[in-house]
Amino acid sequence: MSLAQVLFYVMAFIVVGSALFVASTKNLVRSIFMFFITLFALAGLYVLALADFVAITQIVIYVGGILVLILFAFMLSGKETLNVLQQQKSKFISLNKLPAILLAVLFFMVMVNVITKIDAGNIGWIKQVISTNTDIKPNEEMINNIGINLMTRYLLPFEAISILLMMALVGAAHLSRKERGAV
Amino acid sequence: MITLTDFLIVSAALFCIGLYMIVSKHNAIQILIGIELMLNAAILNLVAFGKFDKINNGGQIFALFAIILAAATTAVALAIILNVYKKYRTIDPARINNLKD
């Protein structure tokens, strides 16, 4: 068992464990801060999938941007949200959560079944890439290639997504403005 | 050697945890976190398959696009949550049952 494999299992365990904690805890603040851990461990998984630029982007945008936004929303929406949470019974599995748990577990079983059936390592194009030995190797640097591809092959999606991002931010600013003359 | 199946199973687990959060939580912020978990599962799949696309880097670039889309989604969703809180004094989606007059 190589070191990369050990690291992969450690990271995967942290990701799934902290995500389960996020899903199961009653304390909203704790769940948000455990979500930090999930995102960091996911960045580690991206590094193990040899996508270091995506991992850095994940840390910068998710941890630096999205989580701070979520914390802001949590703080601005007052302490009533906490009261709602504390009213719930503190049993680990309460009866009204049962359908959701059932749905998630059954869906997980279906997906695992599908994944083991298709046997992703043996799909045609992946086999071809492995046989011609052109998959990304750990000692190669892909960032230059990503930049060139982003500005040539994927230029249209890049521009479209930049316009979409601008529209979304203008919309968010418009939604959260104070109404003139209102309370 | 980390196989593709390992990545796919981790991402399936993340997706199902996100699904559970979306279905069962009584708090719009936690539902938003569930959506983020599902998006991250999708990004993990993109990145895992992107390892085999050296020339075009399709997987990694669309993973970047998905991260940007998640940022836009979160910004709009949080603006909506704040508005809903201003109007209803709660962010429990089950108790938001009126349209604007």
Side-chain angles (χ1 to χ4, degrees):
Chain A
M1 209 144 122
S2 63
L3 185 61
Q5 213 167 357
V6 175
L7 272 177
F8 175 82
Y9 286 121
V10 171
M11 291 289 182
F13 177 75
I14 295 175
V15 166
V16 176
S18 63
L20 276 175
F21 187 85
V22 167
S24 66
T25 182
K26 293 283 182 290
N27 191 326
L28 185 54
V29 187
R30 249 180 229 162
S31 90
I32 290 175
F33 279 102
M34 279 307 272
F35 192 50
F36 264 94
I37 313 270
T38 314
L39 293 178
F40 267 115
L42 264 170
L45 282 186
Y46 298 164
V47 171
L48 288 176
L50 305 180
D52 30 10
F53 186 64
V54 181
I56 296 294
T57 316
Q58 161 99 351
I59 290 178
V60 169
I61 293 185
Y62 260 102
V63 181
I66 293 180
L67 268 177
V68 174
L69 267 179
I70 290 177
L71 274 176
F72 262 115
F74 162 68
M75 288 169 185
L76 288 176
S77 60
K79 64 177 197 285
E80 281 193 22
T81 59
L82 283 181
N83 294 341
V84 172
L85 288 177
Q86 254 123 46
Q87 280 165 12
Q88 294 167 0
K89 302 275 183 297
S90 58
K91 272 186 295 183
F92 181 63
I93 298 173
S94 55
L95 199 59
N96 51 6
K97 293 277 169 61
L98 198 59
I101 292 174
L102 213 61
L103 176 68
V105 169
L106 288 179
F107 195 68
F108 181 64
M109 280 162 66
V110 170
M111 281 180 91
V112 167
N113 204 359
V114 169
I115 288 167
T116 47
K117 281 263 167 56
I118 60 168
D119 192 15
N122 287 329
I123 300 174
W125 64 275
I126 289 178
K127 253 175 138 171
Q128 190 187 345
V129 166
I130 292 176
S131 63
T132 54
N133 210 11
T134 49
D135 55 334
I136 299 175
K137 298 284 185 303
N139 54 0
E140 288 173 284
E141 201 172 323
M142 292 314 292
I143 295 181
N144 296 340
N145 200 8
I146 288 177
I148 291 169
N149 270 326
L150 202 57
M151 280 297 140
T152 52
R153 178 180 286 267
Y154 300 107
L155 189 58
L156 184 63
F158 182 74
E159 294 294 337
I161 214 160
S162 67
I163 290 174
L164 183 104
L165 187 62
M166 190 189 70
M167 275 162 41
L169 290 183
V170 170
H174 177 78
L175 276 175
S176 59
R177 82 202 188 285
K178 284 220 167 58
E179 297 232 11
R180 205 180 302 147
V183 234
Chain B
M1 182 66 196
I2 309 164
T3 61
L4 212 44
T5 311
D6 297 339
F7 281 107
L8 293 186
I9 286 179
V10 172
S11 104
L14 263 187
F15 189 88
C16 292
I17 295 171
L19 185 66
Y20 165 75
M21 284 186 82
I22 290 175
V23 173
S24 73
K25 292 298 178 188
H26 289 285
N27 188 323
I29 294 177
Q30 278 179 311
I31 291 175
L32 193 63
I33 292 179
I35 294 174
E36 299 293 332
L37 278 179
M38 290 169 98
L39 279 171
N40 267 303
I43 295 170
L44 183 58
N45 268 356
L46 284 174
V47 162
F49 277 100
K51 187 182 169 190
F52 298 96
D53 191 7
K54 186 174 169 184
I55 313 293
N56 292 334
N57 284 120
Q60 297 192 18
I61 285 176
F62 278 93
L64 292 175
F65 287 164
I67 291 177
I68 296 167
L69 276 182
T73 317
T74 319
V76 175
L78 291 179
I80 292 173
I81 287 176
L82 288 184
N83 266 354
V84 165
Y85 179 74
K86 242 189 289 178
K87 191 164 164 56
Y88 291 93
R89 293 279 129 198
T90 177
I91 52 173
D92 183 355
R95 286 200 277 162
I96 297 165
N97 44 18
N98 291 325
L99 293 174
K100 193 171 182 178
D101 299 326

